[in-house]
Amino acid sequence: MHNFKKLKIWQEGINLVSDNYRLTRTFPGIEKFGLVVQMNRCAVSIPSNISEGSSKSTDKHFNKYLEDSLGSAFEWETQLIVAYNENYLSEEIFKELEQKIIHIQKMISRFQSGLNI
């Protein structure tokens, strides 16, 4: 078992959630029940799966939750691209957030590689 609050991957995920909420608050009203909801759920899912998986008794079980977290990270990246393509954010903000999510994806993958499975 791992203390999820001490895991850098969880901390970075929590930071992304804050970035995500700041971003989606600026989206047009037409996206209130569409892209906003999707992005919020994906962002929250990243650290949520890490924390849930950390309670599992084996690294093999933990890894399954890390896979789900990584999947949510890739899904969120896709939704970020959609938002950018719809001109809901500037290129500068897009590039900044794209780098953050890619960094999180790499961190999760490296963490998985270090598990005893």
Side-chain angles (χ1 to χ4, degrees):
M1 292 175 64
H2 302 265
N3 181 344
F4 69 90
K5 292 178 189 173
K6 292 184 178 182
L7 296 175
K8 186 75 171 159
I9 55 174
W10 180 83
Q11 295 167 0
E12 292 292 327
I14 287 294
N15 290 338
L16 182 75
V17 171
S18 296
D19 291 340
N20 174 78
Y21 275 97
R22 269 191 301 280
L23 174 66
T24 58
R25 280 189 202 106
T26 68
F27 285 8
I30 192 171
E31 292 294 355
K32 185 176 182 180
F33 299 107
L35 194 56
V36 170
V37 171
Q38 284 289 105
M39 289 184 78
N40 289 348
R41 285 183 178 172
C42 280
V44 170
S45 178
I46 296 167
S48 295
N49 276 298
I50 293 166
S51 62
E52 185 175 359
S54 72
S55 72
K56 302 305 174 190
S57 59
T58 67
D59 282 350
K60 182 178 179 180
H61 287 109
F62 187 14
N63 188 59
K64 191 266 186 234
Y65 287 88
L66 292 171
E67 286 177 358
D68 292 343
S69 180
L70 186 58
S72 292
F74 280 103
E75 185 178 355
W76 189 86
E77 182 183 6
T78 297
Q79 293 161 357
L80 179 69
I81 292 166
V82 170
Y84 177 68
N85 288 344
E86 293 300 315
N87 297 310
Y88 295 161
L89 64 152
S90 69
E91 184 175 2
E92 178 184 347
I93 293 171
F94 170 75
K95 286 183 178 182
E96 176 187 331
L97 292 173
E98 182 182 43
Q99 288 306 308
K100 283 185 180 186
I101 195 62
I102 290 169
H103 177 68
I104 289 170
Q105 291 162 355
K106 288 177 181 177
M107 287 177 66
I108 294 170
S109 293
R110 282 193 302 269
F111 190 86
Q112 284 179 293
S113 297
L115 292 177
N116 296 316
I117 50 175

